[in-house]
Amino acid sequence: MALFKRSGMWRDVNPAGMLADFKQVWKQAGRNRWRIALVSGVCTFGLFSLMAHQGGEAPHLPPKITYITVLPEHRTDAEIMASNIANQKAKERFALEQAKSDAEVRAIYKTLGRFAGMDVDRIAREADAENAAAEKARLEAIRKRREEADAVLASEGKPTGSATPAAGE
């Protein structure tokens, strides 16, 4: 009988008690017991038949990785340098155009402010002071990060990058 030894949660299951409970409920149902059994059976059969017709899906396949294919695979260093220079020039042209556009918009707002009776020169000075303070704070944060990185590199015995200027300096 070691084959049928109950363990874990099955240790507390008693089939005799289960059958006795079922018999008690069956008797309490009275004249409606067959109707209740029929409705229960139909509901169970209906649910399982709906589940049987549903299709299951396997886990998604891992995505196929496509690397950047717009650049030629075997470019020379000279070609890379030329494309980088061309991109930098385009970026600088765009920045120049953007600066011109910003200056025109600023002039329009100054004219509008003068018509509205505002002291646009004072407002411009305050805005310039705020921008200068923000730029100074940004450069100070860069300097602190560089010093921290240099300290970490020095503690590891690696050469530091303190000879290279920070962005915007």
Side-chain angles (χ1 to χ4, degrees):
M1 276 308 214
L3 184 65
F4 297 111
K5 182 178 179 183
R6 290 189 234 153
S7 63
M9 71 174 203
W10 297 109
R11 182 178 16 174
D12 299 327
V13 175
N14 184 0
M18 180 179 62
L19 291 174
D21 288 344
F22 179 76
K23 186 178 178 183
Q24 186 70 23
V25 170
W26 186 259
K27 286 182 182 178
Q28 286 177 355
R31 297 175 56 200
N32 294 325
R33 70 176 70 121
W34 288 108
R35 290 183 191 141
I36 294 171
L38 182 65
V39 169
S40 299
V42 167
C43 289
T44 303
F45 179 76
L47 282 175
F48 276 95
S49 66
L50 284 175
M51 289 189 298
H53 295 296
Q54 290 181 349
E57 293 182 12
H60 295 290
L61 295 174
K64 181 182 177 191
I65 298 173
T66 304
Y67 296 96
I68 297 174
T69 58
V70 294
L71 299 174
E73 289 182 27
H74 304 291
R75 295 187 305 159
T76 65
D77 288 342
E79 291 173 331
I80 294 171
M81 186 66 76
S83 87
N84 288 350
I85 290 171
N87 287 337
Q88 185 62 34
K89 286 181 181 178
K91 183 178 170 184
E92 289 169 358
R93 275 194 310 270
F94 177 75
L96 184 64
E97 290 172 11
Q98 187 68 39
K100 286 179 183 176
S101 174
D102 290 345
E104 290 173 3
V105 169
R106 196 171 208 195
I108 291 170
Y109 277 118
K110 280 185 177 183
T111 305
L112 200 70
R114 282 191 183 97
F115 282 128
M118 298 177 170
D119 185 6
V120 293
D121 294 326
R122 181 185 55 84
I123 294 171
R125 280 192 308 274
E126 290 174 0
D128 290 341
E130 286 178 13
N131 290 341
E135 181 66 15
K136 183 178 178 183
R138 186 183 72 83
L139 292 175
E140 183 63 23
I142 290 171
R143 187 189 62 77
K144 283 183 180 180
R145 283 197 306 266
R146 186 189 318 147
E147 287 176 355
E148 291 171 2
D150 287 347
V152 168
L153 289 173
S155 69
E156 295 175 355
K158 296 179 180 176
T160 62
S162 60
T164 58
E169 290 186 0

